[in-house]
Amino acid sequence: MSEVDSYAREPTRRHDMTVNAPQPYNAEPPVEIIRSHYVTPTDYFYVRNHAPVPDINPHKYKFVVDGMVAKPREVSLHELKAKYTHHTVMCTLMCAGNRRTEMSNLKTVKGVGWGNAALSNAIWKGVRLCDVLEDVGAEMDNPHLHVDFYGGDPCVEENYKKGYGSSIPMSKAADPQGDVILAFEMNGEPLPRDHGFPVRVIVPGYIGARSVKWLKSITVKSDESESFFQRRDYKVFLPSVNWDNVNDWWDRTPSLAGLSVQAAITNPKLSEAIATGSSYTVSGYALSGGNRIVRVDISLDGGKSWQTARIFPGEEKGHDNRYWAWAFWDFHVDQFPSPCEIVCKALDIGNNGMPDDLAQIWNLRGVMNNSWHHVSVPAKSKY
Amino acid sequence: MSEVDSYAREPTRRHDMTVNAPQPYNAEPPVEIIRSHYVTPTDYFYVRNHAPVPDINPHKYKFVVDGMVAKPREVSLHELKAKYTHHTVMCTLMCAGNRRTEMSNLKTVKGVGWGNAALSNAIWKGVRLCDVLEDVGAEMDNPHLHVDFYGGDPCVEENYKKGYGSSIPMSKAADPQGDVILAFEMNGEPLPRDHGFPVRVIVPGYIGARSVKWLKSITVKSDESESFFQRRDYKVFLPSVNWDNVNDWWDRTPSLAGLSVQAAITNPKLSEAIATGSSYTVSGYALSGGNRIVRVDISLDGGKSWQTARIFPGEEKGHDNRYWAWAFWDFHVDQFPSPCEIVCKALDIGNNGMPDDLAQIWNLRGVMNNSWHHVSVPAKSKY
Ligand SMILES: [Mo]
Ligand SMILES: [Mo]
């Protein structure tokens, strides 16, 4: 397969995305888009691809369900839609690499650079994974099993022999409250090609990397996926792990699954100046792996003193009070004290917070940067 | 009611508990007990009382279920056991004040002092709260409701007019996977009086304070409990909140609900000396509000360098892969580098960790100290 040709049929995209890598295409929306729409417009939804975008004929499309199931089978798009109850979930996806550039600024990490807009929110429609697993006779109450997904996007990490792969524990897959779906619609339209047309997995509350696109296979297994992206990538190594000693750590470091508490400032954006003494509303987002965000703390003096922001509690959520979608927050300042350093951190209903010190969680792959978010604000004249 | 007389009928207790307050009785087991038994022996289970222990006749006992329910009613102990399916849950309870003394050592807080043994693990049997709520016709899918519990222990904070009270969100109460039970047995025996005889609530994954003892009423409401313990106590205030400005913060500070990630070293215990160069196994516990603990990091040099401990993965857990019970961990050292400072921290499957700096989470009431746990180990001669 020619690398050049393989990118010949990429979808048409907006020109105002921040492209962090062109081939495979990786892009985040302008940060001002993030806080302007609770549901991100589809064409602004961040894109994290690992290969050329497959061009799949929906009439011929099918995926396989196999492994430790009583009745392995192939499922066509038509059958998926016709046979199982449709289920809609509002869910924010976040790339584990969100805010990686901050980490790289401390000490270089390996991976596509991302600002703080590598996340987006959408309304997904599909069928519940648990309904499909039950139908094929999977052992759904065995917590030692894993459900392994592969996509139809042959990628370099798998020597072009396989697509992108990832697995989730059966406990998440089988839980009706877990809301894992095989999605065929995004914001009321068929999935765009960049987001997995015709079918992708949506794993609410997990890192985006587990929501496999262009679904090709679902395999029930006794162990995690053998995929590069489960075994090598998407792990938070200790800060002392480097490319010389990482071989000792691959297997001893757990694969990422759920999303820890995250919050970031979107307004002002990086390097945006604010007139000293002017009225200004600081705002941003916060999310967790399913828990409600109950507090967002804001400091205007680099972390010395703190106040709490107003949180939009998010009626928009998954069923049964799981908060799969982000919260928005704002904090009004009558007389803005620029130049200054704004810091934000959040707390969820499980009292989980965010680490203050980026160095503590710095890791070789630059994933899961949820350290306190700092934005230095230059002053500008009020007139 | 005479304060003196009211403590005349306290139950018989072990003499080797660490009594942090005698009346009401508050005690934690010796720290060496914690790691010696995965299921804590009942008479060593930590006790957190707010009043004299009620002396309840089980034959006359009943509790009321009322508020926003179609069919309010009283339920006797006999009816509770006869009418609803029995359900067993292994669950570690932890006092929100666990490790409060460390917080007080930084700056004085208000509250009973606790070391790092204000938690214990037991096997609880009872009936599911959701089954009772369904039976009385509660609006179980309304996430804005709260379920309010009061105990039969009139306490000073309520001017002796009411017992200890606390509420939980309906989403937790109504979720069969949430495993909230009305327990009448602990480790195979009727509940001891100190632990709520004849019926207490067990709210797995929440701070111990929500597991109301000597259950007297269950009320479905549109708002949180009016109890002192929901509105005034058990909140994590910002470090800047003090007794002069706290009135501004009561309502703006969320009530505690779920347990954040916690881990502590039990061996060596505080001030225990270890012979330099000797072989020693550091050990302790870790838990979260229901997520699996996937990594425990240990430093022997005060946090400069880290290794990972062995975790006992805990087959013993709630159903459907929720980890309501603690994990144990150990870390073997061939040649112990005393004098030194051991530090531990943990990470759950949702990538939530623990804050490094106690000062960041210091709060007026001294609750939820889950900062990195430090134990300074003096050297002693090997011979
Ligand atoms: Mo990602
Ligand atoms: Mo407590």
Side-chain angles (χ1 to χ4, degrees), chain A residues 46-116:
Chain A
Y46 84 97
V47 180
R48 181 26 175 156
N49 290 344
H50 291 82
V53 177
D55 196 0
I56 297 173
N57 179 341
H59 304 293
K60 295 187 181 164
Y61 170 80
K62 49 195 173 185
F63 62 88
V64 66
V65 192
D66 61 10
M68 299 166 71
V69 304
K71 297 165 284 181
R73 71 176 54 161
E74 289 183 330
V75 181
S76 69
L77 180 60
H78 175 77
E79 189 188 2
L80 185 76
K81 289 180 176 178
K83 185 169 187 184
Y84 305 98
T85 306
H86 293 191
H87 189 70
T88 299
V89 178
M90 180 181 283
C91 168
T92 301
L93 293 184
M94 184 178 81
C95 180
N98 189 37
R99 301 179 56 201
R100 178 179 280 147
T101 298
E102 293 166 56
M103 215 176 249
S104 266
N105 289 345
L106 184 70
K107 189 174 146 194
T108 305
V109 299
K110 181 175 175 178
V112 175
W114 293 97
N116 63 340

Side-chain angles (χ1 to χ4, degrees), chain B residues 8-305:
Chain B
R9 285 179 301 171
E10 292 285 283
T12 306
R13 291 153 177 149
R14 296 195 65 94
H15 295 292
D16 58 349
M17 297 290 275
T18 302
V19 178
N20 297 314
Q23 291 187 346
Y25 182 75
N26 286 284
E28 61 191 301
V31 72
E32 51 269 31
I33 292 297
I34 292 288
R35 266 301 257 102
S36 309
H37 307 271
Y38 189 77
V39 175
T40 313
T42 301
D43 58 351
Y44 272 126
F45 202 100
Y46 84 97
V47 179
R48 189 354 174 182
N49 290 344
H50 290 82
V53 177
D55 196 0
I56 297 173
N57 179 340
H59 304 293
K60 295 186 181 165
Y61 170 79
K62 49 195 173 185
F63 63 87
V64 65
V65 192
D66 61 11
M68 299 167 69
V69 304
K71 297 164 286 181
R73 72 176 54 162
E74 289 184 330
V75 181
S76 69
L77 180 59
H78 175 77
E79 189 189 0
L80 185 75
K81 289 181 176 177
K83 186 168 186 184
Y84 304 98
T85 306
H86 293 191
H87 189 70
T88 299
V89 179
M90 179 180 283
C91 170
T92 300
L93 293 184
M94 184 178 80
C95 180
N98 189 37
R99 301 180 55 199
R100 178 180 280 145
T101 297
E102 292 167 57
M103 216 177 248
S104 266
N105 288 346
L106 184 70
K107 190 175 146 193
T108 305
V109 299
K110 182 175 174 178
V112 175
W114 293 96
N116 63 341
L119 80 173
S120 304
N121 188 32
I123 299 164
W124 309 92
K125 185 157 104 179
V127 312
R128 281 194 165 112
L129 175 61
C130 59
D131 291 345
V132 175
L133 290 175
E134 188 166 36
D135 192 37
V136 297
E139 217 181 297
M140 294 171 70
D141 57 357
N142 183 342
H144 301 291
L145 299 182
H146 296 260
V147 181
D148 190 6
F149 310 111
Y150 273 90
D153 52 339
C155 55
V156 61
E157 291 86 350
E158 303 287 351
N159 296 314
Y160 300 107
K161 292 200 178 79
K162 281 183 159 182
Y164 179 97
S166 255
S167 62
I168 62 173
M170 179 59 92
S171 55
K172 174 70 175 173
D175 182 3
Q177 325 277 334
D179 280 331
V180 180
I181 63 170
L182 308 178
F184 44 76
E185 273 187 29
M186 176 181 184
N187 297 335
E189 304 282 345
L191 288 181
R193 285 180 57 215
D194 260 335
H195 297 292
F197 180 83
V199 176
R200 77 174 299 175
V201 186
I202 293 291
V203 186
Y206 272 41
I207 61 168
R210 305 302 173 224
S211 289
V212 173
K213 301 195 276 195
W214 313 290
L215 181 65
K216 193 163 181 179
S217 66
I218 301 174
T219 306
V220 177
K221 296 179 60 194
S222 57
D223 206 353
E224 289 190 302
S225 181
E226 297 290 336
S227 163
F228 175 88
F229 303 99
Q230 192 78 20
R231 299 293 178 110
R232 291 294 179 268
D233 203 349
Y234 298 116
K235 296 195 171 200
V236 178
F237 295 104
L238 282 170
S240 57
V241 176
N242 56 44
W243 292 111
D244 295 327
N245 63 15
V246 69
N247 282 339
D248 298 339
W249 288 93
W250 296 122
D251 293 338
R252 287 156 67 191
T253 304
S255 311
L256 280 167
L259 287 170
S260 35
V261 176
Q262 171 72 288
I265 300 155
T266 54
N267 304 283
K269 60 181 172 179
L270 218 58
S271 310
E272 181 179 336
I274 299 176
T276 307
S278 65
S279 157
Y280 188 87
T281 300
V282 178
S283 63
Y285 61 79
L287 72 159
S288 81
N291 276 343
R292 187 158 62 90
I293 297 293
V294 295
R295 212 178 80 195
V296 174
D297 300 334
I298 302 295
S299 172
L300 300 177
D301 55 11
K304 284 187 209 67
S305 68

